[in-house]
Amino acid sequence: GENVEQHPSTLSVQEGDSAVIKCTYSDSASNYFPWYKQELGKGPQLIIDIRSNVGEKKDQRIAVTLNKTAKHFSLHITETQPEDSAVYFCAASFHYGNNRLAFGKGNQVVVIP
Amino acid sequence: DVKVTQSSRYLVKRTGEKVFLECVQDMDHENMFWYRQDPGLGLRLIYFSYDVKMKEKGDIPEGYSVSREKKERFSLILESASTNQTSMYLCASSFKAGRYGYTFGSGTRLTVV
């Protein structure tokens, strides 16, 4: 099955700086890559996603880039704010049907005021 | 606003009890999933369902069963709760066709004493 690795496990950044989280995946047929943000005491929420026919997607302060050749994708958060502190999960689709996702283990981002 | 609703935020049960965790979605999604989340282990899939009365084992099904009698409802059952089942349980749903992200519930924090 699909295997998704997420690095680093913990990331601390100063408020205003940028944060980057990288994920690698194993299945070259994967074609959908969502990112989730989980705040304390809540379920994960979809914040941005990218499909394999696109190399980059941006939504305000967050962006995702995809390198299909290297089989990795990254989440970029610019001008970080304290409310960006959360656990972030990347995921990649299984290549066979029924819309299964494989998740990375998560990344704790801490924004230091 | 579309949502996935988990019936309890916090539960405390005794060892050996039969425990039911309920999940309801209002988006007419075909797929539903149960995950458990533990520190350092990410999201681990317990069971999933592609359709009514249909279920498939995930990565850690031992000690659990599920029921999906109606499309909108997916129940997780701990037949005889044990202390190692103390965890955060997350329900999610998604469309079957195509590649779309999951919508997660807020989670149920289960403590088995």
Side-chain angles (χ1 to χ4, degrees):
Chain A
E2 175 67 280
N3 184 46
V4 177
E5 300 283 339
Q6 189 168 349
H7 305 280
S9 59
T10 305
L11 178 63
S12 295
V13 295
Q14 289 292 138
E15 182 177 354
D17 287 351
S18 295
V20 181
I21 307 167
K22 297 181 180 179
C23 285
T24 59
Y25 61 99
S26 59
D27 187 353
S28 57
S30 293
N31 59 9
Y32 175 66
F33 308 91
W35 283 91
Y36 291 84
K37 176 184 180 183
Q38 186 178 27
E39 297 175 331
L40 199 61
K42 297 182 179 180
Q45 299 290 313
L46 179 68
I47 55 172
I48 195 167
D49 56 13
I50 192 168
R51 301 183 189 277
S52 58
N53 59 346
V54 176
E56 184 175 357
K57 183 177 179 181
K58 190 173 182 180
D59 183 4
Q60 298 183 340
R61 294 188 297 108
I62 60 172
V64 56
T65 57
L66 172 64
N67 183 325
K68 289 171 56 180
T69 304
K71 291 191 285 187
H72 69 70
F73 56 112
S74 300
L75 179 71
H76 304 254
I77 308 173
T78 59
E79 300 173 19
T80 53
Q81 300 169 6
E83 54 264 37
D84 295 327
S85 295
V87 176
Y88 291 82
F89 292 95
C90 63
S93 62
F94 283 64
H95 74 278
Y96 47 88
N98 291 312
N99 196 22
R100 287 271 312 271
L101 294 175
F103 287 88
K105 283 188 163 49
N107 179 295
Q108 176 74 60
V109 173
V110 178
V111 179
I112 303 165
Chain B
D1 194 18
V2 294
K3 62 173 67 173
V4 174
T5 303
Q6 294 184 232
S7 54
S8 303
R9 288 301 305 274
Y10 301 95
L11 276 178
V12 180
K13 297 292 182 180
R14 295 193 179 277
T15 301
E17 276 193 78
K18 190 170 186 177
V19 181
F20 293 86
L21 302 184
E22 305 288 346
C23 175
V24 177
Q25 51 95 3
D26 64 0
M27 297 164 284
D28 202 33
H29 283 170
E30 295 89 352
N31 297 344
M32 296 189 76
F33 307 85
W34 275 106
Y35 288 86
R36 65 177 282 176
Q37 183 177 21
D38 301 288
L41 299 179
L43 302 171
R44 293 186 291 166
L45 182 64
I46 305 171
Y47 267 97
F48 58 101
S49 170
Y50 293 143
D51 206 346
V52 176
K53 297 190 184 296
M54 177 274 169
K55 60 186 179 184
E56 287 200 29
K57 294 180 180 179
D59 302 318
I60 53 164
E62 296 77 19
Y64 303 94
S65 62
V66 290
S67 172
R68 193 160 180 207
E69 295 297 317
K70 294 183 177 181
K71 189 176 185 179
E72 67 270 19
R73 185 180 296 271
F74 192 36
S75 303
L76 180 69
I77 304 157
L78 286 65
E79 297 289 343
S80 178
S82 63
T83 54
N84 64 10
Q85 292 178 311
T86 292
S87 186
M88 168 69 86
Y89 290 87
L90 289 163
C91 176
S93 70
S94 75
F95 283 113
K96 184 174 184 178
R99 294 293 179 258
Y100 297 93
Y102 295 175
T103 300
F104 283 89
S106 296
T108 295
R109 172 72 66 183
L110 173 67
T111 302
V112 182
V113 298

